Amino acid sequence: MKFTSTRNDKVSFSAQQAIAKGLADDGGLFVPTTFPSVSTDEFLGLDYEKMVGLILSKYLPDFENLDEMIHSAYKNALPVSLSVLTENLAVLELFHGKSAAFKDVALQLLPYLLTTSLKKIGEKRQAIILTATSGDTGSAAMSGFSNVDQTQVIVFYPEVGISDIQRLQMTTQAAKNVHAVAVEGNFDDAQRAVKSIFQDHAFTDQFAENQIFSSANSINFGRLLPQIVYYFWTYSELVSADKIKSGDLVNFSVPTGNFGDILAGYYAKKMGLPVGKLICATNKNSVLYDVLTTGTYDRNRDFYITNSPSMDILVSSNFERLIYHLAGAKVTQATQEQLVKEGKYQLSAEVFEQLQKDFLTEKCDDDETIEEIKAVSTDRNYVMDPHTAIAYAAARKADLDGFTVVLATASPYKFAKTVEDAIEQKLPEDKMPDALKCLDKKPVTQLYHVTKDQIRTIIKEIL
Ligand SMILES: *Cc1c(COP(=O)(O)O)cnc(C)c1O
């Protein structure tokens, strides 16, 4: 299994190199050069851990202890559960893990994949895991990497926009090897600053004797791998429950920000899973809606702080991977250069046409999000968080034939204020996820606060 860079396909890396490094030296993302195929015979009927083992072994054939790692990662908090709501719609709840958002699916496992990758490439230095977060990756990365040997995590989160609970989940983390830094600016500012550090060798060389830099963002292929699994598992569960027949196409509606979650669905399709349409559900920051309906990606626009803050993103990093798979490295390199220079690029008619085959898109503003939470609570007695509500609304508007699965990416308790306003009642306290209990009683230990120009200074200070 070989990996290359989205911006230069002449280079070749192993999976362990890709996971250890996070981002290629040319600024591109690591992508697999081929997709392993999985047949229905192989995957139907497997339980979750076995499914993870099957999918990951295809990409990481020489990871000997995969089953043990998977068991350690998920035994106490399997994030995933499927809830069938109607004859042709189910909600895939991905928020039952350690931090109550879907990021846990990958980040409970990534520490094992990363430390094994470091060993396999003979890397003895400490991995400094730089992570920009729009709210949920931060706490999932901090809890996933708490006290993990040979790692240190520094999370950058936007000072404004994230929910109080998201903030507390990060600022009350106690482990010595995890740090959270508030940045003045939005997620895009933080993500751009973090990505620029990987290419700033004058900066990283200062630490090169004892430390290397990596990432826990979905720019790291190790984040995407565990996310491919739940598409297969969901399909298998639907066959077992007699909701679909083996071979039927299933659609997935995904609340999208950095395009990682939905890209994992595209990868599942590439590996042979019978996927119909992937519905890219966006909020008012609708760059992806626009590129999928017009072919032009344009981040020159106002940035909105919405009630679905984990999707408040104008530069969706993983869209670069999709362009690579559709059009190759040359085109990808050109688009990303244009994105830096002009803030926008135009896809060719051919690439745009290809996009339409696999992807549909819908968008939802704050008011519609509230309406959707309210309507589904009343009609189906099912309470969703705002991000999930956007995907639910998208599935409803798309009104596709066949079975559709809505990905539920956060617990409603994580965005309690928005949800309670929408349903006009309190969420029952006894059902609150353990991860979110007593957060306001824990001591706040993480107090760093910087402007985006001080990110390098604070990294130096922390290290
Ligand atoms: C991160 C996140 C998303 C967006 O996922 P991407 O992989 O960035 O597209 C959606 N909802 C929630 C709750 C999230 O935390």
Side-chain angles (χ1 to χ4, degrees), residues 164-424:
D164 292 340
I165 292 173
Q166 287 179 310
R167 181 189 313 275
L168 279 174
Q169 278 187 293
M170 290 185 276
T171 56
T172 58
Q173 296 274 346
K176 287 269 185 296
N177 71 323
V178 300
H179 318 275
V181 181
V183 182
E184 288 174 21
N186 58 41
F187 170 77
D188 287 318
D189 296 324
Q191 174 160 265
R192 202 172 316 130
V194 166
K195 279 171 97 175
S196 78
I197 287 171
F198 288 92
Q199 286 168 283
D200 182 353
H201 298 290
F203 180 75
T204 55
D205 284 351
Q206 301 171 52
F207 307 93
E209 197 176 326
N210 300 311
Q211 291 156 324
I212 58 158
F213 287 88
S214 187
S215 167
N217 280 111
S218 52
I219 54 174
N220 192 323
F221 189 79
R223 266 284 301 276
L224 298 181
L225 258 184
Q227 296 179 193
I228 299 172
V229 177
Y230 46 71
Y231 288 91
F232 280 94
W233 178 81
T234 299
Y235 193 93
S236 166
E237 291 292 296
L238 290 173
V239 172
S240 301
D242 244 352
K243 296 294 166 193
I244 57 168
K245 283 197 278 306
S246 174
D248 288 355
L249 295 178
V250 171
N251 312 297
F252 291 89
S253 185
V254 188
T256 298
N258 225 0
F259 209 76
D261 199 2
I262 195 166
L263 186 74
Y266 178 74
Y267 284 179
K269 187 171 186 177
K270 287 283 210 193
M271 294 170 70
L273 187 71
V275 174
K277 292 284 186 196
L278 293 160
I279 306 169
C280 175
T282 75
N283 69 19
K284 198 177 175 187
N285 294 298
S286 58
V287 262
L288 289 169
Y289 174 88
D290 294 346
V291 69
L292 291 170
T293 48
T294 68
T296 300
Y297 195 107
D298 187 355
R299 71 167 173 83
N300 303 311
R301 60 177 74 207
D302 291 336
F303 178 93
Y304 300 104
I305 290 177
T306 71
N307 58 15
S308 47
S310 304
M311 295 157 69
D312 289 346
I313 293 176
L314 296 182
V315 181
S316 293
S317 289
N318 282 294
F319 199 69
E320 176 173 347
R321 283 191 164 110
L322 182 63
I323 298 175
Y324 171 84
H325 295 302
L326 297 176
K330 261 216 180 80
V331 171
T332 311
Q333 160 68 23
T335 57
Q336 300 310 304
E337 214 171 283
Q338 262 185 319
L339 188 62
V340 171
K341 281 205 196 107
E342 295 158 40
K344 62 177 184 178
Y345 59 81
Q346 168 88 44
L347 296 171
S348 71
E350 267 175 329
V351 173
F352 182 58
E353 202 176 299
Q354 271 186 287
L355 276 179
Q356 315 292 315
K357 286 193 192 130
D358 295 313
F359 295 90
L360 268 183
T361 185
E362 297 288 345
K363 63 179 172 179
C364 209
D365 66 19
D366 278 8
D367 289 341
E368 287 177 90
T369 306
I370 300 279
E371 282 307 311
E372 199 72 19
I373 296 172
K374 191 170 166 181
V376 176
S377 165
T378 311
D379 300 346
R380 304 252 168 254
N381 196 23
Y382 185 83
V383 178
M384 305 177 290
D385 100 289
H387 306 80
T388 307
I390 289 173
Y392 197 101
R396 181 174 55 69
K397 290 184 203 171
D399 193 23
L400 293 168
D401 289 337
F403 205 97
T404 298
V405 177
V406 172
L407 271 57
T409 46
S411 160
Y413 286 85
K414 206 158 178 174
F415 301 92
K417 187 168 179 323
T418 305
V419 173
E420 288 174 348
D421 285 353
I423 61 175
E424 293 168 19

Side-chain angles (χ1 to χ4, degrees), residues 409-445:
T409 46
S411 160
Y413 286 85
K414 206 158 178 174
F415 301 92
K417 187 168 179 323
T418 305
V419 173
E420 288 174 348
D421 285 353
I423 61 175
E424 293 168 19
Q425 54 183 297
K426 286 276 172 204
L427 290 164
E429 240 171 72
D430 55 326
K431 298 227 173 76
M432 182 186 284
D434 289 342
L436 305 179
K437 280 183 191 148
C438 306
L439 272 180
D440 48 349
K441 309 229 160 43
K442 288 189 186 164
V444 171
T445 52

